Amino acid sequence: MDAILLQILNGLDKGSAYALIALGLTLIFGTLGVVNFAHGALFMIGAFCAVTLQRIFTISRTTVDESRTDFLGNPMEVDTPYLEIWFGPEFGAALIDWSVPLAILFAIPVMLLIGWIMERGLIKHFYKRPHADQILVTFGLAIVLQEIIKYFYGANPIPTPAPSAFAGSFDFGAALGFDPMTIIYPYWRLIYFAFAGLVIAGVFCFLQFTTFGMVVRAGMADRETVGLLGINIDKRFTIMFGIAAAVAGLAGVMYTPINSPNYHMGMDFLVLSFVVVVVGGMGSLPGAVLAGFLLGILESFASMNEIKSIIPGIDQIIIYLIAIVILLTRPRGLMGRKGVMED
């Protein structure tokens, strides 16, 4: 029982990242009809927003500490972050410690701006082009962004720790009445799952209960009719592209303590996220979320040693096998709409 619960938790953790990225992908496809292969790069840029803020917070000045001496008895030179100089040692250290959550505030405007630049500068020229052209140009853009990150930050992963308050693990075994320490799970992974739930709920509420969201949903169903009503639907779709970029960026920001950011992390998630979108159904937001968590849980169970001993390598291909089975039985995916990419 404890092994099953642990794998479910692992699956929800992976599924959260898949669902967030797939949600942004589906928002872009559903509104603009663009297959955006650069969306994984937006996830990567969000992660490096956290890295950048951490580096800004830790910019230091060398000072002399009279209370500490070296082996010759001379006062030692120490690097003191400016935040600790300006705000005091305790508050400054707390800001540095909480740099990842604070990076959310930094990443939102950055990702909105990047999304706007991408859509206005490149994507808008490919609205009426074949999907193959969209895939090629956005994949090329993803490679360019990846190499830019590699140039400025290097090729090695950059550790970005979670706040020390969440450095431990939660004892599910004791909480559920099992033996203590049988099921322990890192606090930050639980926070990431909760954060993903809040973001997903926020996006759905925005589309469902706001006037802006209702117009966007109407435009997704019949763009020409909404335009004839005098509504600038293109402007709203551009804003949705920025929101989708922000969702991917926030997913990357909060994922940095789980997986140290590196320049190819966007590509690592991109293909899997597209599989999630296709399995859920192209253009279906609920389908993308459902498929993200479903495939995350199945991948987690496939990674168990008992399963891999029976079918070696199953954890590497389980998502694709499930995708094949679902698409053979339901060609439109779990919740796909009729007519989407069927021309």
Side-chain angles (χ1 to χ4, degrees), residues 27 200-218 220 240 285-286:
L27 277 174
I200 292 169
V203 170
F204 276 94
C205 289
F206 174 74
L207 291 174
Q208 191 71 28
F209 301 115
T210 66
T211 302
F212 186 98
M214 293 178 186
V215 173
V216 167
R217 286 191 291 116
M220 292 169 66
M240 289 307 301
L285 296 177

Side-chain angles (χ1 to χ4, degrees), residues 11 55 64 93 106 132 159 187 195 210 218 243 249 257 261 263 265 302 339:
R55 290 187 174 184
V64 176
F106 174 63
Y187 284 122
F195 174 80
T210 66
I243 292 174
Y263 74 97
M265 67 184 301

Side-chain angles (χ1 to χ4, degrees), residues 33-37 122-123 125-141:
V34 174
V35 182
N36 181 23
F37 256 66
L122 180 66
I123 302 298
H125 301 293
F126 289 84
Y127 287 158
K128 297 182 180 180
R129 299 280 289 273
H131 291 305
D133 291 355
Q134 298 170 359
I135 291 172
L136 287 173
V137 73
T138 54
F139 186 74
L141 177 61

Side-chain angles (χ1 to χ4, degrees), residues 157-179:
I158 303 174
T160 312
S164 55
F166 303 108
S169 298
F170 180 73
D171 191 343
F172 273 99
L176 296 176
F178 300 113
D179 293 334

Side-chain angles (χ1 to χ4, degrees), residues 80-102:
T80 305
Y82 280 101
L83 287 180
E84 295 186 11
I85 296 174
W86 295 337
F87 300 106
E90 293 185 2
F91 187 68
L95 288 175
I96 295 172
D97 187 37
W98 285 77
S99 62
V100 170
L102 291 174

